[in-house]
Amino acid sequence: MIELKHVSKSYTAGVDALKDINLTINDGEIFGIIGQSGAGKSTLIRCINMLERPTSGEVIINGKDMTKLSTSELRAERRHIGMIFQHFNLLSSRTVYENIAFPLELYGTPKEEQKKKITDILELVGLTEYKDKYPSQLSGGQKQRVGIARAIVSDPDILLSDEATSALDPETVKSILNLLKDINRKLHITIIMITHQMEVIKSIADRVAIIEHGHIIEQSSVLDLFTSPKTETARNFIGSVSSNTLPEGLKNYHIHDERENADDHIMMRLSFRGDVANEPIIAKLARDYNLEVSILYGTVDFIQGVSFGKLIIDVSGSDSNITAAFNHLHSLPIESEVLGYVSGNI
């Protein structure tokens, strides 16, 4: 288990990069930390392996406070933490095999043990036939596979990923994320993903924390984040992969905050998940509560095998029926939000 307790990091120029960070990351999970450039996420991940020493607070890994270890003790603990980078950081004069061997050489691992470990890792990352090639002969995705192999060849408990997919094309990103999920499952390695890409979080993470201006402003399961975001920043990130906006043809309609006329329609957003996503919610509202309901926008998607959906609907009917229908919606595992009122029929 990884625990960050009241971690802060300040620099001599008076810049507060991290402010009172509190996180718990469970063994074996894939934990995402997302934020815009300059939010503090790279500083945070470097505090976990103590490449950056926090100004205050505790970084506890498997019961040991990393901030209190001596230099030699810290060096020994870092053997259990692998790291992969955005720009690969490979040694250009070494082959794929030799790049992967590098940390084993530093730890004094015997040659025969090195050979077995590297052979197994090459097979796991799909690079067996590339073992004698140099980085200049590899694609970006292949280079990142070498970086991943080098990071896990020493059998770490934790793998830190600092924007490891942001320099890759979308198809390669998918293959690298699939590889990381495979590594997490087969080797039971805890993975911490630092990223500004919501698609990465959606594809791979179990839980996620959003960092902004050095603060953790929201944290939850990825499914909860998508179906019930608490902050505007979270909604903006989600909007990058799952739009909440109205279709272009409806953007010209004037939506007002208050009802101006008795016949105004209500425009609202519904977010739902699991079994509810497969239920005839709209048909039930229209049938049981005598409402006119029009679907203006809708999506159904999946996160980790669980379906979730969003609808933007236009609702009209008597006030009493609308109130009864809304009470019904509130009894279901559905998030509902009134966006405003629209005059007349859309």
Side-chain angles (χ1 to χ4, degrees), residues 26-63:
N26 299 315
D27 291 341
E29 77 174 333
I30 301 178
F31 192 93
I33 299 172
I34 189 168
Q36 300 289 2
S37 297
K41 55 188 184 298
S42 290
T43 302
L44 177 55
I45 202 171
R46 290 169 65 86
C47 283
I48 291 175
N49 63 4
M50 298 299 290
L51 292 176
E52 294 272 5
R53 185 170 287 274
T55 306
S56 60
E58 300 172 294
V59 179
I60 301 170
I61 299 179
N62 295 329

Side-chain angles (χ1 to χ4, degrees), residues 303-314:
I303 291 180
Q304 297 156 4
V306 178
S307 59
F308 73 99
K310 296 181 182 179
L311 291 176
I312 296 177
I313 60 176
D314 172 73

